[in-house]
Amino acid sequence: RITITRHYQSIHIVNATNCTVTVSPSCPVPGPVHVTGCSQCEIAVACRQLRIHDCTDVNFRVHVRSGPIIEDCTGMVFRGDYYPDAMSANAESPLDDDSGGENMYRDVKDFNWLRTLVPSPNFVVVANGGKDEDGMKPQLCTEDDVVGATCRSNGLCDDEETHDQE
């Protein structure tokens, strides 16, 4: 378990395996956080940018000002339930700029998945603080899950519930 309790302009997390990395809510990162070569980790951070490369099975609890970017990754899970100190889900972020304070954790961009009508199989976005309506573990969308417009391009299914809907 690693906890960062100091302010940094950017953070690089490289080759971490089977660990938890938490950037203290009192220390949001005003620049990018780069995560490279990590597997089976949990990462909690508030930052302006989140860039993820060559990772497997990483769970993110984030407040991020621009959509996370993944490349050469599988099994990524994104939750938007991590807030800098003195914030609630509806408060303004200390990372605010002229683009507003919205948490963009849902706007994941998979640079290895260019098909816009089929969700990437490499990540899932979990709404409502990381719990779906049935308390089920999040599952990644696959091409087989797509029935009409059931799954959206960001990995979420309509109504932000499980992928078993008809």
Side-chain angles (χ1 to χ4, degrees):
R1 177 174 210 98
I2 300 167
T3 302
I4 299 171
T5 58
R6 193 172 153 207
H7 288 275
Y8 292 96
Q9 292 299 309
S10 68
I11 293 177
H12 295 255
I13 302 168
V14 181
N15 297 329
T17 301
N18 197 26
C19 69
T20 299
V21 178
T22 303
V23 178
S24 173
S26 64
C27 301
V29 180
V33 171
H34 296 269
V35 181
T36 305
C38 297
S39 65
Q40 300 174 342
C41 292
E42 294 193 19
I43 298 174
V45 64
C47 60
R48 185 163 305 280
Q49 293 181 341
L50 180 60
R51 299 180 174 264
I52 306 146
H53 300 276
D54 304 308
C55 292
T56 304
D57 300 326
V58 179
N59 289 301
F60 290 92
R61 293 181 56 226
V62 296
H63 186 278
V64 63
R65 295 293 300 113
S66 61
I69 294 173
I70 67 172
E71 189 169 14
D72 299 320
C73 296
T74 59
M76 304 292 100
V77 177
F78 294 92
R79 293 172 174 82
D81 61 349
Y82 191 78
Y83 304 102
D85 275 357
M87 280 190 64
S88 68
N90 299 318
E92 291 186 27
S93 167
L95 302 172
D96 282 348
D97 58 15
D98 57 4
S99 63
E102 184 179 355
N103 186 352
M104 300 297 290
Y105 78 100
R106 294 176 183 241
D107 189 25
V108 180
K109 296 166 183 68
D110 184 348
F111 282 12
N112 292 107
W113 193 259
L114 302 177
R115 300 169 72 183
T116 57
L117 298 178
V118 178
S120 167
N122 299 318
F123 72 90
V124 66
V125 174
V126 181
N128 302 325
K131 298 176 184 172
D132 65 22
E133 296 294 319
D134 300 323
M136 299 291 291
K137 180 179 177 184
Q139 297 179 3
L140 298 177
C141 284
T142 66
E143 288 185 49
D144 295 335
D145 292 325
V146 179
V147 178
T150 300
C151 290
R152 292 179 258 161
S153 62
N154 65 356
L156 281 174
C157 288
D158 287 341
D159 300 324
E160 300 175 352
E161 294 180 5
T162 64
H163 303 281
D164 298 332
Q165 294 181 5
E166 309 226 321

